Amino acid sequence: METATLQYLRGDATTPLGKGVKVIAHVCNDLGGWGKGFVLAVSRRWPEPEAAYRRWHRERARNDFGLGAVQLVQVERYVWVANLIGQRGIRTGRSTGAPVRYEAIDTALATLAEEALRLGASVHMPRIGCGLAGGRWELVEPLVTSRLVGRGVPVTVYDVG
């Protein structure tokens, strides 16, 4: 078995490169809010991830919606979007501290690894948790490395521009 790698590319994570099944992973908040940041790029390409996320949140009394949960949405024959709940609330004018929750991202990535292995997929992402969630990549990258790459799932991180 070849060793999985973590690679960085300039480009758009909503147009993942390479062959085979691909999962595009991104971090969502636990409030049901979808409308800023990377999700806008996702919604420009496919309506399904937003619709599924909003339904997941609306029906949360009867499902696993919450910090650390993962929702996989198929958007093309070989492309899935993974909605990872890794952000507690959203940043407001009065809020202090970043909404990112590293332990929730860690839990979600462990679940994502299982799903990616089941699908035989590579994972593609922006620097998750580091945009609106306010996280620091030097804290997220080791989670990606241990949970995904360490389990044999190849990961590509896309930097825009």
Side-chain angles (χ1 to χ4, degrees), residues 79-138:
V79 181
W80 298 73
V81 171
N83 294 331
L84 314 178
I85 311 293
Q87 182 182 327
R88 175 87 189 87
I90 55 174
R91 213 186 272 254
T92 64
R94 291 190 300 276
S95 59
T96 56
V100 68
R101 291 295 177 269
Y102 297 107
E103 62 284 357
I105 291 175
D106 191 41
T107 300
L109 289 173
T111 302
L112 178 59
E114 298 295 324
E115 296 295 335
L117 290 166
R118 184 177 61 77
L119 292 167
S122 54
V123 172
H124 303 258
M125 62 178 68
R127 293 185 186 231
I128 58 168
C130 298
L132 295 169
R136 298 190 1 242
W137 185 246
E138 61 267 26

Side-chain angles (χ1 to χ4, degrees), residues 16-100:
L17 301 171
K19 294 191 182 344
V21 180
K22 299 178 209 50
V23 176
I24 299 166
H26 69 107
V27 164
C28 304
N29 64 62
D30 66 350
L31 290 181
W34 180 293
K36 285 186 170 162
F38 182 72
V39 297
L40 295 178
V42 171
S43 290
R44 273 197 294 275
R45 292 214 48 182
W46 310 284
E48 299 91 349
E50 177 179 359
Y53 169 79
R54 292 190 185 281
R55 185 168 53 250
W56 190 29
H57 176 261
R58 197 168 52 245
E59 298 169 2
R60 65 192 177 280
R62 299 186 300 282
N63 64 38
D64 66 344
F65 184 94
L67 286 170
V70 176
Q71 180 188 50
L72 269 181
V73 183
Q74 190 166 14
V75 292
E76 292 177 15
R77 186 168 175 195
Y78 299 111
V79 181
W80 298 73
V81 171
N83 294 331
L84 314 178
I85 311 293
Q87 182 182 327
R88 175 87 189 87
I90 55 174
R91 213 186 272 254
T92 64
R94 291 190 300 276
S95 59
T96 56
V100 68

